[in-house]
Amino acid sequence: MNDRKQNVVKKAHQLFIDKGFQATSIQEIIDYSGISKGTFYNYFSSKSELLIAIFKTVHEKLEKDRNDLLIGQDPADIEIFIKQIELQMKTNKNNKLIVLIEEVMVLNDVELKEFIKQAQLRWVHWLYQRFLDIFGESKKAYLLDCAVMFMGILQHNLKYNEIAHKSNCSIHRVIRYSVDRLVKIVEEVSEAGDQLIEPKALERRLPNCQKTAQVFQQKLNQIVSEMKKGLDHDQSKYIELLDFIQEELLDSKNPRKFLIESALFSLKSDQALIEKKHLQKLDQLITEYLNTET
């Protein structure tokens, strides 16, 4: 983003903070930024796209600052996590992100709502990843549930403490209190062995994960197609195995790993087939994919 475009983002953000998103017109943004209408529409197709650019700009800086707190530190140190959360909450407050998000969610703007939803998914996924650092792989199955609960606890504790104490509300105290509750929740949920949401169910909704799934599908289809072309007449029985593997991996919500591995074993039992590079590629692709799903 060039300096002039960044200036428009900065000026528009200030207007949205002062007046609100809906109350600010594009003409006001143009006048305040000192640009022409043509330049504005060269940068942004709409006010909504401009707001998304604001959210992205704030988040990029937040992500960098949040990661900087981890440099040279132990990721399992819960005190670092508290500092990261405090940084995020202060960033949200200073930029009035929550107010802008609440205003957007009542609008009939599909693009903005989808962007906010994806941002919320990324936030809960970041919490889940940090909880893995802090609480360990042994509690992995329950940490997404804990991340969702922590979001709710923190959000409402901040909201009602601000109402009760107004300007005297201590963000640090609220965060530490909420994290202390989180530690107890993780212990209780993991001891009970009670899971509500499987982590991979959320990961599939994230843009990067969706892209990865699309790449996997393309590679799988290409390899299977090449393998079918190379089969001799007396190897036609393997077509059914390849079709089964494709259907199980691409059409099943919960691919049965043992059946896929069994089908691969049958394919590899043919000495002539195992020497072909496409079977080796298929085996490697599926093994890597199944490992990321567990």
Side-chain angles (χ1 to χ4, degrees):
M1 191 184 296
N2 62 46
D3 291 343
R4 201 174 182 195
K5 188 174 180 179
Q6 284 180 333
N7 182 61
V8 177
V9 169
K10 182 179 178 181
K11 295 291 189 180
H13 190 183
Q14 188 59 55
L15 285 172
F16 292 160
I17 288 174
D18 295 340
K19 299 185 61 177
F21 175 72
Q22 293 186 78
T24 302
S25 69
I26 289 178
Q27 189 59 51
E28 286 176 303
I29 297 169
I30 289 170
D31 294 340
Y32 192 47
S33 304
I35 59 172
S36 67
K37 184 173 287 188
T39 299
F40 176 89
Y41 283 107
N42 185 46
Y43 291 155
F44 309 103
S45 62
S46 65
K47 196 167 66 167
S48 296
E49 186 178 325
L50 172 55
L51 181 58
I52 289 173
I54 291 170
F55 284 140
K56 286 181 177 179
T57 300
V58 173
H59 182 265
E60 283 171 8
K61 185 178 186 307
L62 167 65
E63 192 170 34
K64 179 186 179 302
D65 293 344
R66 202 169 57 186
N67 290 337
D68 285 348
L69 290 172
L70 277 172
I71 295 174
Q73 304 294 328
D74 180 3
D77 186 348
I78 205 164
E79 294 299 320
I80 302 299
F81 173 71
I82 289 174
K83 289 180 180 179
Q84 288 179 309
I85 296 297
E86 189 169 354
L87 171 67
Q88 177 144 351
M89 295 304 103
K90 287 182 177 178
T91 298
N92 289 349
K93 186 174 182 180
N94 293 340
N95 291 279
K96 288 197 173 181
L97 295 188
I98 303 302
V99 174
L100 287 172
I101 288 170
E102 288 176 347
E103 185 178 1
V104 164
M105 294 309 288
V106 302
L107 302 177
N108 188 28
D109 192 313
V110 176
E111 182 185 10
L112 270 175
K113 285 184 176 181
E114 181 60 27
F115 176 82
I116 298 300
K117 183 170 71 174
Q118 290 297 326
Q120 290 170 336
L121 287 173
R122 284 190 291 270
W123 161 230
V124 73
H125 187 256
W126 178 83
L127 286 172
Y128 165 67
Q129 293 294 333
R130 289 295 286 116
F131 289 177
L132 278 172
D133 294 333
I134 296 165
F135 300 108
E137 288 285 333
S138 63
K139 296 180 173 62
K140 180 177 180 178
Y142 316 105
L143 294 180
L144 178 57
D145 292 335
C146 294
V148 173
M149 287 187 280
F150 177 72
M151 284 179 66
I153 290 169
L154 180 61
Q155 178 185 350
H156 286 88
N157 279 343
L158 286 168
K159 178 179 179 179
Y160 289 105
N161 267 271
E162 189 169 356
I163 291 172
H165 300 119
K166 296 182 180 179
S167 59
N168 293 323
C169 175
S170 169
I171 291 179
H172 177 78
R173 183 170 179 273
V174 172
I175 292 172
R176 181 167 292 280
Y177 176 88
S178 301
V179 170
D180 288 344
R181 305 290 76 74
L182 164 70
V183 172
K184 298 295 183 183
I185 288 171
V186 171
E187 290 176 4
E188 191 276 328
V189 172
S190 58
E191 285 177 9
D194 195 8
Q195 184 191 65
L196 186 61
I197 308 173
E198 289 187 6
K200 64 181 181 181
L202 172 68
E203 290 172 351
R204 287 174 182 154
R205 296 291 306 276
L206 292 167
N208 288 344
C209 295
Q210 289 174 355
K211 184 177 180 180
T212 301
Q214 290 169 1
V215 171
F216 170 75
Q217 180 176 337
Q218 290 170 0
K219 287 183 177 179
L220 179 65
N221 289 338
Q222 182 179 0
I223 293 172
V224 169
S225 177
E226 291 296 329
M227 286 187 69
K228 286 180 178 179
K229 289 178 184 177
L231 289 174
D232 298 330
H233 180 71
D234 60 347
Q235 294 176 314
S236 58
K237 60 184 179 180
Y238 295 132
I239 291 178
E240 290 184 10
L241 285 173
L242 291 170
D243 287 341
F244 169 77
I245 290 172
Q246 267 186 304
E247 290 172 5
E248 192 68 20
L249 286 167
L250 302 182
D251 299 334
S252 175
K253 290 183 178 179
N254 296 295
R256 293 166 291 183
K257 184 177 179 180
F258 70 100
L259 290 178
I260 295 168
E261 289 175 340
S262 177
L264 279 172
F265 181 80
S266 297
L267 290 171
K268 289 186 284 186
S269 65
D270 188 311
Q271 188 61 35
L273 195 60
I274 198 171
E275 291 175 357
K276 295 185 177 180
K277 62 179 181 179
H278 291 305
L279 178 56
Q280 296 169 14
K281 287 182 178 180
L282 180 68
D283 188 28
Q284 182 181 356
L285 178 69
I286 292 175
T287 299
E288 290 174 356
Y289 179 76
L290 291 176
N291 287 339
T292 62
E293 291 291 292
T294 56

